[in-house]
Amino acid sequence: MARTSSSKENAQALFHSLRSAYAATPVNLKIIDLYVGFAAFTALIQVVYMASVGSFPFNSFLSGVLSCVGTAVLAVCLRIQVNKENKEFKDLPPERAFADFVLCNLVLHLVIMNFLG
Amino acid sequence: MSNSSTSDLLKPFKLKTKQQELLIRVSILCLVYILAFITRLFSVLRYESMIHEFDPYFNYRTTLYLTQHGFYDFWNWFDYESWYPLGRIVGGTLYPGLMVTAALIYRLLHFLRFAVHIREVCVLTAPFFASNTTLVAYFFGKEIWDSGAGLVAAILIAVCPGYISRSVAGSYDNEGVAIFALLFTFYLFVKAVNKGSLAWGLASAFGYFYMVSAWGGYVFIINLIPLYVLVLLITGRYSMRLYVAYNCMYILGMLLAMQIRFVGFQHVQSGEHMAAMGVFFLMQVFYFLDWVKHMLSDTKLFQEFLSITVTCAVAAGGIALGVGVASGYISPWTGRFYSLLDPTYAKDHIPIIASVSEHQPTAWSSFMFDFHILLFLFPAGLYFCFKRLSDATIFIVMYGLTSMYFAGVMVRLILVATPAVCLISAIAVSATVKNLTVLLRSKNKVAQIGSTKGTSSAKASSKASLDQSQPFQKNGAMALLFGAFYLLSRYATHCTWVTSEAYSSPSIVLAARGAHGNRVIFDDYREAYFWLRQNTPPDAKVMSWWDYGYQITAMGNRTVIVDNNTWNNTHIATVGRAMSSYEDEAYEIIRSLDVDYVLVVFGGVTGYSSDDINKFLWMVRIGGGVFPVIKEPDYLVNGEYRVDKGAAPKMLNCLMYKLSYYRFGEMMTEYGKPPGYDRARGVEIGNKDIKLEHLEEAFTTSNWIVRIYKVKPPNNRW
């Protein structure tokens, strides 16, 4: 009894501390996190749809899922580079990080459009 | 007056040290670039500008098709002239990188109004890319260690025989371009990890795309880089830069690679590519945990969160992998790559892979022949790398060790190990020479400091002791430097000798020394193929062993039954069965395949040892692997393979024997030996009175190396 209540308390404490720590992050990083969540959610919807109707044509499914996963991953990379707390990237101007992000996304979507079939 | 004029002359050359250094570096790189190109031109100077060996002829034929018909027709080409009657989907079963590269260079030269023939471009593509590889090696060495190591790496790889063997002028094969792509991809990836920039990650993805389009050995990259990431994660050297570099390269590289039809969906379905995907997911979990740990201040809560997440992730990953492998969705490792992990696999299960001479394990002499002094500079370089560990040196150490293991398993893979060995040896040479020259120059500095310091007795005595030990140190350093330069000069001499003697032969034109020391050229292969081209109907079908298929279609322009692609084992086994059967059974198989001409290669008159009789046992084994009616012991006597009087009766009457030795019984090949003396086997043949019933001799080349027989139509029925 005591153990389950203590684990429940632990889970609640974990949840609260995570929430409070996350609330402290700057707004621009939260926007990027929202974008990552949206992309991951879209990928999940596509996987569920594929599981229900079958995977033909496979290249279309792959290009759809990989475009979501790819843009999510690139957004996470952008977030890493823009985050002020990362010492390694402190002399990288955020405009350069964003330009790299746009360029990589451009290449990603060009390849996706070729692969959609 | 004269003083001012000489100083006026020298004034434009008065350069600062940095500019002098830049001038020296650029001039060294230019010389190395030219050297790498011209050292590969031996066969062009000795014979002529032609394509060598077997596989390059297929590449040449496809490049010719590409330049004549354009990219769309090339990408959708169905070739009905090979593998009759099956045909071959060329567009979907080749790696287009090499052909597209050569076609682009050809178009560029034509745009600049240089009217070169596509064959010249094909012949010189490999040396051109070898020169580019030296430049990439310089930048890579600069990234790992410093610019001195880069220069030494460039010069070592320019002449290293391990690389020259597959990139001489005329060797128009995938490896010539692929090694450039391999080193370029690795350089861009290491640069991306060092800088943590998305742009360099994108560049490495493009480099990987070029590698995938050029060679099947790209599997090495897609397994080495995840292994490297794993090692960095385990040793605690992970950083945000690693995350950015690997993720950008993996996602974009995988997507780009799937555009090549031959590769298709292998990146998500094949067992060989699963390591990259596993490391990708591992990284997401790892960095997510790292982020949560950074946000939480309480470590106890984090431990709980960590344990929950890790168990969930490991369980999910294990279940996914298990389901994938068990259901067969994730295909297991293919035979070609599985035989690298288990070298005995191919001999028991896939005779075609085992029969290729390049796939045999490497002997020590091959290592010494191909690497020379680099062989003992490699461990020295490893020592220096371990002394100064960084992300880049860990990468080169892993590349060196894994590629050396694979080079030990298969001779052909010495080529993949060569750039790593050259880079690591360059580090050893550069660090040693640097230390020695510092010793040489330090004596003057210490003496100066000693003289300007105070005059206390202790300092004076120490200065005296230093001065006493200095001369020995300086002499020792001079001696070691001379030794190092002597070794390097021996290396250069050895490499040039090896290139000239061993790796510059076209294989399609044979040369030998005559009785008076003059050079005798045997051009029989091309003689036979041009006879085929000019004297047979255009839709004639030629049956031969698969080695010669590409050359027959490229030069003879006739349809073949099997060729070097070896994609259909049963078809090759059918041809093997026909060659090993008696003439009547073979005639039935020949008629069922619509064959008009049969081509065999025979070395008994010239002593040429790579002929069909020496390859015959492989035909028996491959044929017997599919048709149990062919049994290898039938052709051997007491386990021994003989062609003289004591040979097995099935051997003396099979089709291959008859076609090789037809009319050979009357031939005098060597003074003092009986007629019918086979110079390649060194025996007198057993069956001299050969009569052919269903085939007739159409053409035999001037030195009897290639023999072509016409298939007679069936007899008229009454």
Side-chain angles (χ1 to χ4, degrees):
Chain A
M1 207 54 166
R3 244 196 291 149
T4 50
S5 66
S6 75
S7 66
K8 223 165 92 174
E9 277 174 15
N10 273 343
Q12 275 187 350
L14 182 74
F15 186 61
H16 281 303
S17 66
L18 271 178
R19 216 166 151 193
S20 58
Y22 188 66
T25 57
V27 176
N28 55 351
L29 294 183
K30 278 196 195 155
I31 295 177
I32 298 180
D33 289 341
L34 197 62
Y35 179 68
V36 173
F38 158 71
F41 180 63
T42 315
L44 192 64
I45 291 183
Q46 288 184 22
V47 171
V48 167
Y49 179 71
M50 188 273 289
S52 61
V53 300
S55 70
F56 181 81
F58 193 56
N59 55 320
S60 311
F61 164 66
L62 264 185
S63 60
V65 167
L66 283 177
S67 74
C68 296
V69 170
T71 187
V73 157
L74 286 173
V76 172
C77 293
L78 173 69
R79 185 191 200 276
I80 289 175
Q81 286 182 333
V82 163
N83 198 353
K84 300 267 187 316
E85 296 173 12
N86 283 333
K87 300 292 176 297
E88 290 167 336
F89 291 108
K90 65 174 159 56
D91 37 334
L92 182 73
E95 290 83 11
R96 167 75 198 268
F98 187 67
D100 282 346
F101 170 73
V102 166
L103 178 67
C104 289
N105 263 320
L106 189 67
V107 171
L108 175 78
H109 288 100
L110 277 174
V111 179
I112 292 291
M113 282 201 288
N114 182 38
F115 200 39
L116 265 176
Chain B
M1 296 302 131
S2 56
N3 283 352
S4 64
S5 63
T6 46
S7 61
D8 279 331
L9 271 176
L10 284 174
K11 256 215 178 80
F13 296 122
K14 198 169 195 146
L15 298 166
K16 296 194 280 278
T17 320
K18 256 221 153 20
Q19 287 173 321
Q20 280 180 344
E21 199 223 341
L22 181 67
L23 178 66
I24 293 179
R25 261 196 288 149
V26 168
S27 54
I28 289 180
L29 278 178
C30 286
L31 287 173
V32 166
Y33 194 90
I34 297 174
L35 173 69
F37 191 84
I38 61 179
T39 189
R40 289 164 163 81
L41 293 180
F42 275 105
S43 72
V44 173
L45 294 170
R46 285 180 185 160
Y47 303 97
E48 63 178 90
S49 158
M50 67 177 147
I51 313 268
H52 298 183
E53 302 232 338
F54 302 109
D55 280 353
Y57 273 99
F58 172 70
N59 299 331
Y60 172 61
R61 184 167 161 248
T62 49
T63 315
L64 200 55
Y65 191 90
L66 172 60
T67 51
Q68 284 167 350
H69 296 106
F71 186 71
Y72 187 75
D73 283 336
F74 166 76
W75 201 232
N76 293 303
W77 184 20
F78 180 81
D79 184 24
Y80 52 84
E81 282 193 351
S82 57
W83 294 91
Y84 186 85
L86 305 166
R88 177 184 171 181
I89 309 170
V90 176
T93 56
L94 57 54
Y95 287 105
L98 176 68
M99 299 88 184
V100 171
T101 310
L104 280 176
I105 297 177
Y106 170 79
R107 283 210 203 287
L108 176 69
L109 288 174
H110 271 252
F111 177 72
L112 296 173
R113 301 290 178 261
F114 289 109
V116 294
H117 191 268
I118 182 69
R119 191 190 59 242
E120 318 296 343
V121 175
C122 291
V123 163
L124 294 175
T125 298
F128 173 59
F129 273 90
S131 302
N132 296 341
T133 308
T134 60
L135 285 183
V136 176
Y138 164 69
F139 285 112
F140 203 177
K142 200 162 119 166
E143 190 69 27
I144 299 177
W145 200 256
D146 61 18
S147 62
L151 285 174
V152 181
I155 180 60
L156 285 180
I157 203 171
V159 285
C160 189
Y163 184 26
I164 289 187
S165 62
R166 305 291 297 205
S167 67
V168 281
S171 171
Y172 182 55
D173 209 352
N174 300 61
E175 286 93 346
V177 176
I179 296 297
F180 166 74
L182 180 87
L183 203 58
F184 197 43
T185 309
F186 282 149
Y187 163 64
L188 290 172
F189 183 68
V190 169
K191 191 99 186 174
V193 170
N194 273 344
K195 289 222 150 129
S197 129
L198 270 178
W200 284 105
L202 177 67
S204 72
F206 273 116
Y208 177 63
F209 170 56
Y210 188 44
M211 179 71 189
V212 169
S213 74
W215 196 32
Y218 73 88
V219 174
F220 181 63
I221 298 188
I222 201 65
N223 281 312
L224 178 65
I225 289 188
L227 193 64
Y228 166 66
V229 168
L230 204 59
V231 164
L232 282 185
L233 286 180
I234 292 178
T235 56
R237 288 182 151 271
Y238 57 87
S239 61
M240 292 297 153
R241 299 172 282 122
L242 181 68
Y243 182 87
V244 170
Y246 180 69
N247 279 304
C248 182
M249 192 223 159
Y250 178 62
I251 293 287
L252 287 173
M254 177 167 78
L255 266 174
L256 283 168
M258 289 202 276
Q259 308 309 306
I260 309 286
R261 277 164 63 192
F262 195 26
V263 172
F265 299 129
Q266 277 184 358
H267 276 73
V268 292
Q269 283 180 342
S270 155
E272 297 145 9
H273 303 77
M274 285 298 115
M277 190 183 279
V279 168
F280 174 68
F281 284 121
L282 179 70
M283 276 196 106
Q284 309 307 318
V285 170
F286 198 88
Y287 278 82
F288 178 65
L289 287 174
D290 200 45
W291 180 53
V292 168
K293 179 173 171 185
H294 174 74
M295 282 212 306
L296 284 180
S297 42
D298 189 349
T299 50
K300 193 167 75 85
L301 282 176
F302 174 66
Q303 294 293 349
E304 285 212 21
F305 180 71
L306 174 69
S307 55
I308 298 172
T309 320
V310 167
T311 42
C312 287
V314 168
I319 290 176
L321 189 67
V323 164
V325 171
S327 68
Y329 186 73
I330 298 183
S331 58
W333 282 57
T334 55
R336 263 180 34 166
F337 296 112
Y338 189 72
S339 60
L340 288 176
L341 299 176
D342 177 14
T344 58
Y345 178 76
K347 188 122 203 205
D348 299 330
H349 298 265
I350 317 172
I352 282 195
I353 296 181
S355 72
V356 181
S357 67
E358 300 175 307
H359 291 180
Q360 307 307 319
T362 324
W364 262 113
S365 53
S366 298
F367 275 115
M368 192 60 194
F369 199 63
D370 280 341
F371 287 137
H372 205 238
I373 61 166
L374 301 185
L375 212 50
F376 63 80
L377 285 178
F378 181 68
L382 283 179
Y383 163 72
F384 279 109
C385 284
F386 275 111
K387 254 178 57 169
R388 200 214 282 189
L389 272 184
S390 70
D391 290 348
T393 48
I394 290 185
F395 180 79
I396 197 67
V397 164
M398 288 192 61
Y399 175 25
L401 291 175
T402 48
S403 59
M404 277 306 256
Y405 166 71
F406 288 125
V409 175
M410 205 188 258
V411 169
R412 192 179 177 186
L413 295 179
I414 283 190
L415 174 72
V416 175
T418 302
V421 169
C422 286
L423 277 164
I424 296 184
S425 313
I427 292 178
V429 170
S430 172
T432 312
V433 167
K434 216 174 206 171
N435 290 342
L436 290 175
T437 45
V438 159
L439 270 180
L440 271 183
R441 294 169 118 188
S442 69
K443 176 208 168 203
N444 302 331
K445 270 200 211 147
V446 172
Q448 276 182 351
I449 295 175
S451 59
T452 51
K453 275 238 167 72
T455 52
S456 67
S457 54
K459 281 196 183 135
S461 60
S462 67
K463 183 189 88 173
S465 63
L466 270 170
D467 271 347
Q468 271 182 350
S469 61
Q470 279 315 308
F472 298 117
Q473 268 193 342
K474 190 187 170 201
N475 284 344
M478 279 287 251
L480 282 176
L481 261 182
F482 274 123
F485 289 143
Y486 173 71
L487 273 181
L488 288 172
S489 67
R490 293 301 305 163
Y491 170 72
T493 320
H494 168 87
C495 293
T496 317
W497 174 83
V498 163
T499 311
S500 159
E501 288 302 312
Y503 289 140
S504 297
S505 86
S507 295
I508 192 168
V509 170
L510 312 164
R513 294 257 162 236
H516 306 283
N518 55 322
R519 218 157 58 112
V520 179
I521 304 259
F522 300 127
D523 208 359
D524 287 44
Y525 280 104
R526 295 197 292 172
E527 190 186 336
Y529 300 140
F530 273 89
W531 184 90
L532 268 181
R533 193 190 190 109
Q534 290 163 349
N535 293 295
T536 57
D539 61 348
K541 291 135 195 99
V542 180
M543 179 173 98
S544 70
W545 192 233
W546 57 263
D547 286 2
Y548 317 108
Y550 281 156
Q551 288 179 342
I552 296 176
T553 34
M555 279 191 276
N557 204 20
R558 294 288 176 267
T559 309
V560 288
I561 305 292
V562 288
D563 68 16
N564 308 55
N565 191 28
T566 66
W567 66 269
N568 192 332
N569 194 30
T570 312
H571 218 50
I572 297 182
T574 312
V575 172
R577 180 184 174 188
M579 295 295 195
S580 355
S581 314
Y582 294 122
E583 196 183 346
D584 297 323
E585 304 159 7
Y587 185 64
E588 281 182 35
I589 301 176
I590 286 176
R591 290 289 303 160
S592 78
L593 287 174
D594 269 358
V595 174
D596 299 309
Y597 290 90
V598 181
L599 185 147
V600 293
V601 169
F602 173 58
V605 173
T606 49
Y608 177 54
S609 56
S610 305
D611 63 351
D612 280 356
I613 289 285
N614 277 348
K615 293 180 195 164
F616 182 63
L617 274 185
W618 283 110
M619 300 188 198
V620 170
R621 283 178 197 138
I622 295 174
V626 177
F627 302 104
V629 68
I630 306 283
K631 298 191 238 326
E632 191 181 340
D634 285 348
Y635 300 86
L636 305 171
V637 172
N638 293 333
E640 212 185 303
Y641 179 58
R642 297 167 68 168
V643 294
D644 54 1
K645 276 214 159 17
K650 183 124 198 217
M651 179 72 206
L652 289 177
N653 289 304
C654 69
L655 185 70
M656 176 55 72
Y657 190 95
K658 282 187 167 182
L659 294 182
S660 293
Y661 292 119
Y662 182 65
R663 284 195 310 117
F664 186 63
E666 312 132 13
M667 185 88 172
M668 284 285 283
T669 52
E670 220 172 284
Y671 184 68
K673 294 276 193 309
Y677 181 74
D678 183 347
R679 286 179 71 186
R681 260 67 53 184
V683 293
E684 188 186 343
I685 62 169
N687 187 358
K688 292 193 191 175
D689 186 25
I690 295 178
K691 299 249 185 310
L692 287 174
E693 192 186 330
H694 299 288
L695 297 120
E696 59 183 1
E697 189 180 2
F699 183 68
T700 298
T701 55
S702 45
N703 294 300
W704 285 55
I705 291 186
V706 183
R707 312 194 66 180
I708 304 179
Y709 292 84
K710 186 168 155 68
V711 176
K712 292 203 281 206
N715 288 326
N716 281 329
R717 286 189 284 251
W718 293 114

